[in-house]
Amino acid sequence: MKSVAKNANDERDAKVFALYEQLVEIEQRLIPTGLHVFGRASSAGEKIDLLKMIASFDRPEAGVRALPEDLVDEAVREFVSAGTDAAVRFLEQKGLIPAETRPVFVLLETVSTKLQTNNELDSLVRALRGEFIEPGPGADIIQNPDILPTGRNTHAINPYGVPSAAAFTRSEAVANSLLSRYKHENGRYPEAMALVLWGLDNIKTQGEGVAQALWLLGTRPVRDALNRTTNVEAIPLAQLGRPRIDVVMTVSGIFRDLFSPTVQLLDKAVRLVAQLDEPLESNYVRKHVLQQVEHDACDLDDAAVRVFSNAPGNYGTNVNFMVMDSQWEREETLGDLFVTRKCFAYGRDSKGLAIEGREARVAMDRALARVEATYQNIDTFEIGLTDVDHYFEYLGGVSKAVEKRAKARPAIYLSDSLSRDVKIRTLEETVRLETRAKTLNPKWYEGMLKHGFRGVAEIENHVSNTFGWSATADAVDDWIYSEVANTFLFDESMLERLRDLNPHSAHSLVQRLLEANGRGYWDVEDSVLEKLRDISRSLEDQLEGVA
Ligand code: BEZ
Ligand code: MG
């Protein structure tokens, strides 16, 4: 009896603890509370949030140690209200050594000053006059505070420096966590994965996504005499301690254009691994390439194509447009469109001939048919899964394409390389977290509503982007749509505000919810649908009256 009670208590405690962890996770997430207004410096509240995040990361290159998690909030508030000395003293009272905490506040002082200046309007006017605009790095503010002040001419990156040594080192833990999460859930490693690589993300992180792909393949970058990353070498299996994963990479058009040497590097890595004389159970690239050579009677060159993008000069998947316009009947059309747009191969064959956007639909179909997990690295606090339609057009699009070709839905993961410790989440977990931290969070939507018309459009966008995850990956729980309806439409005063500010977006929001139900993504009582239809009709009357 006693042990049953103890088990029940343990179980209860574990559940309460898991709930606590989830609440803390949502609470600690930095959310943008409003849109950036061109030319306007950040408000005091925004400044504190940013400084807290900046102070939460070790920056060995600047001799800065992160502040302890439980003190960062109070310490930064002390810093903002009373300055560096006061903040250092506050931490000293908590037992921290001043010489160790001072550097972080020196950094915060610089950031704080730069946040107060905003040269955006001035720079724009000078640019329009054809004057020189100082260059500045393009990055995420948390990852690289040197992006401040804004209003400079963003320069990108030297593609030959990618991945940087730091990005490569950091990415080992991400690749390992990703594989161990899959293994934990499936009892073995995935034989093949599909990765999405974007240009801007790899600029910001100096190639984290690229480095993760190299790790999965079990390779490392090699620099030439000019310190350019032009080659790769295999990490020995004994050192790797796991099989080499077959990696199918879909790179954006921007990545293809900016990172041409990197595209070559990734292709080279796949071809190198395919030719290693290793047991097939430890080298899934070789296993699959040999299978394909035998099965399709094709040559090794064709069977080893793994880097895909748009046709030269083309960008995007159009999956987002098809979803937004409701112009589709069957989900598989979305995956097929993804492949149609992205089935152009890049790299170099064994004779040294460049493959520059050769249409390779069959090769892509074959490669995707083996994929068991899809993945994208998330590296910014500012833009997440439901903020833009690009995540679902890419990661959703490729996952839907895999589902048809592999005849099974892949496991879908995202990393959060921003947290203090690397986090790998499933798509479903990430959609829930984003929904709680943003769409349904009063701090977020009130911040948006301050922007009036545009703010309502942003709320509607978030709901549509969430819907995109239903369409491409069936990754949205019913409660999410129900809570969207409760928060924005069934609360009368909120509905009034939306109606006043932007009846067009309010109407689109209702229509999107009805579409979610119509397509089978939201199971809800008829009475709720009736209420939605009433609201829709009254918004239509209002819009006709306006017209
Ligand atoms: C990119 O940086 O590659 C990218 C940016 C926006 C949408 C898709 C891709
Ligand atoms: Mg469902």
Side-chain angles (χ1 to χ4, degrees):
M1 273 319 280
K2 210 167 173 190
S3 92
V4 171
K6 182 173 181 305
N7 283 345
N9 279 347
D10 285 353
E11 212 174 285
R12 183 203 59 199
D13 289 353
K15 278 191 180 151
V16 171
F17 187 67
L19 181 63
Y20 168 77
E21 279 191 317
Q22 286 203 8
L23 287 174
V24 170
E25 187 172 43
I26 297 168
E27 185 194 0
Q28 288 180 345
R29 221 163 156 82
L30 181 79
I31 54 151
T33 49
L35 301 167
H36 174 65
V37 178
F38 192 79
R40 193 156 89 197
S42 43
S43 72
E46 286 161 1
K47 198 167 95 175
I48 289 179
D49 279 348
L50 281 175
L51 295 180
K52 268 164 44 183
M53 289 311 303
I54 290 171
S56 298
F57 284 83
D58 284 331
R59 296 174 201 277
E61 69 286 359
V64 169
R65 291 256 299 271
L67 293 178
E69 214 167 332
D70 53 337
L71 291 174
V72 65
D73 184 67
E74 275 183 278
V76 168
R77 285 178 192 283
E78 188 66 23
F79 163 78
V80 169
S81 63
T84 294
D85 289 344
V88 170
R89 268 200 309 278
F90 163 79
L91 289 170
E92 191 177 11
Q93 282 156 19
K94 304 279 176 191
L96 298 182
I97 303 164
E100 288 181 6
T101 58
R102 190 167 287 277
V104 73
F105 296 107
V106 173
L107 171 68
L108 295 191
E109 277 175 18
T110 323
V111 172
S112 187
T113 314
K114 288 183 186 166
L115 276 172
Q116 261 144 21
T117 46
N118 187 304
N119 303 326
E120 291 167 5
L121 270 175
D122 182 51
S123 297
L124 176 64
V125 173
R126 286 195 292 119
L128 291 173
R129 282 203 295 260
E131 290 177 19
F132 176 75
I133 308 297
E134 317 74 74
D140 178 272
I141 183 169
I142 312 290
Q143 300 205 23
N144 183 5
D146 283 342
I147 65 153
L148 295 170
T150 55
R152 291 185 293 168
N153 190 2
T154 307
H155 63 71
I157 201 164
N158 167 12
Y160 286 106
V162 162
S164 69
F168 190 69
T169 307
R170 243 193 336 265
S171 296
E172 181 179 13
V174 183
N176 287 344
S177 305
L178 180 59
L179 292 176
S180 51
R181 172 107 202 220
Y182 183 93
K183 193 164 179 235
H184 179 74
E185 281 163 3
N186 298 276
R188 58 172 178 79
Y189 290 110
E191 288 203 13
M193 295 189 60
L195 263 56
V196 171
L197 295 174
W198 284 354
L200 298 178
D201 291 27
N202 281 284
I203 290 175
K204 282 186 281 187
T205 61
Q206 305 204 318
E208 260 183 28
V210 172
Q212 291 162 6
L214 294 178
W215 273 112
L216 291 170
L217 289 164
T219 56
R220 66 166 78 89
V222 176
R223 292 177 184 253
D224 67 12
L226 298 174
N227 204 28
R228 300 179 314 167
T229 308
T230 47
N231 216 340
V232 283
E233 64 185 15
I235 299 167
L237 281 175
Q239 201 179 327
L240 201 58
R242 56 156 172 91
R244 302 183 194 281
I245 312 300
D246 189 351
V247 182
V248 188
M249 291 155 272
T250 30
V251 315
S252 70
I254 297 181
F255 185 101
R256 171 204 58 202
D257 294 352
L258 291 176
F259 287 105
S260 176
T262 318
V263 165
Q264 296 300 330
L265 191 79
L266 291 167
D267 174 71
K268 218 175 200 178
V270 173
R271 289 174 197 278
L272 170 80
V273 169
Q275 291 177 54
L276 294 172
D277 184 12
E278 291 174 341
L280 301 186
E281 68 276 11
S282 302
N283 183 333
Y284 296 137
V285 182
R286 183 169 179 78
K287 175 179 171 181
H288 298 154
V289 167
L290 292 182
Q291 270 173 358
Q292 193 169 329
V293 167
E294 193 182 310
H295 187 268
D296 288 5
C298 65
D299 62 19
L300 211 81
D301 276 342
D302 284 338
V305 168
R306 291 292 183 279
V307 186
F308 297 93
S309 188
N310 297 83
N314 274 351
Y315 302 83
T317 72
N318 291 355
V319 170
N320 47 340
F321 301 127
M322 197 179 249
V323 170
M324 289 301 167
D325 294 344
S326 308
Q327 294 298 318
W328 53 284
E329 278 175 28
R330 284 144 45 107
E331 288 171 356
E332 65 174 53
T333 314
L334 302 171
D336 291 343
L337 176 62
F338 181 90
V339 175
T340 301
R341 295 283 300 171
K342 286 284 174 188
C343 67
F344 297 83
Y346 289 81
R348 196 170 288 278
D349 68 17
S350 56
K351 296 171 210 73
L353 293 175
I355 310 167
E356 290 210 46
R358 182 203 296 158
E359 186 165 4
R361 193 172 181 115
V362 174
M364 190 174 195
D365 282 342
R366 293 277 191 285
L368 293 179
R370 290 182 290 252
V371 166
E372 296 177 304
T374 60
Y375 165 73
Q376 185 165 2
N377 186 42
I378 301 236
D379 57 45
T380 174
F381 284 99
E382 289 170 311
I383 300 175
L385 279 196
T386 56
D387 291 297
V388 291
D389 53 5
H390 300 304
Y391 284 108
F392 82 74
E393 69 156 322
Y394 274 86
L395 185 63
V398 75
S399 301
K400 192 47 88 181
V402 166
E403 187 176 328
K404 175 173 163 184
R405 286 152 186 81
K407 299 187 177 60
R409 182 188 187 274
I412 311 175
Y413 298 108
L414 294 122
S415 63
D416 183 340
S417 61
L418 302 166
S419 338
R420 283 172 188 256
D421 9 274
V422 178
K423 273 241 165 85
I424 299 292
R425 295 193 184 90
T426 62
L427 172 62
E428 290 80 352
E429 288 165 353
T430 315
V431 169
R432 281 179 209 125
L433 179 60
E434 284 271 315
T435 303
R436 289 188 170 115
K438 290 183 183 154
T439 318
L440 295 175
N441 179 354
K443 193 174 167 190
W444 180 84
Y445 62 72
E446 288 298 344
M448 286 297 155
L449 288 171
K450 286 198 189 105
H451 296 274
F453 184 89
R454 183 67 226 161
V456 185
E458 282 297 322
I459 294 170
E460 191 272 323
N461 266 347
H462 273 248
V463 176
S464 284
N465 294 333
T466 305
F467 173 88
W469 289 113
S470 284
T472 57
D474 195 17
V476 186
D477 303 334
D478 293 300
W479 69 260
I480 291 184
Y481 292 114
S482 298
E483 283 307 308
V484 165
N486 288 338
T487 307
F488 297 108
L489 302 170
F490 299 155
D491 173 329
E492 273 181 35
S493 69
M494 179 56 85
L495 179 60
E496 271 316 298
R497 288 169 73 194
L498 302 190
R499 248 180 202 294
D500 283 350
L501 293 169
N502 184 342
H504 301 273
S505 292
H507 182 248
S508 305
L509 198 158
V510 184
Q511 292 305 113
R512 195 63 79 189
L513 289 178
L514 288 169
E515 184 181 3
N517 169 264
R519 290 194 189 266
Y521 303 140
W522 181 28
D523 190 14
V524 67
E525 303 87 72
D526 286 343
S527 60
V528 171
L529 297 172
E530 248 343 286
K531 265 162 63 183
L532 286 177
R533 286 192 200 100
D534 282 347
I535 294 172
S536 179
R537 271 189 295 271
S538 98
L539 283 162
E540 279 156 23
D541 289 346
Q542 180 184 341
L543 287 169
E544 272 171 32
V546 168

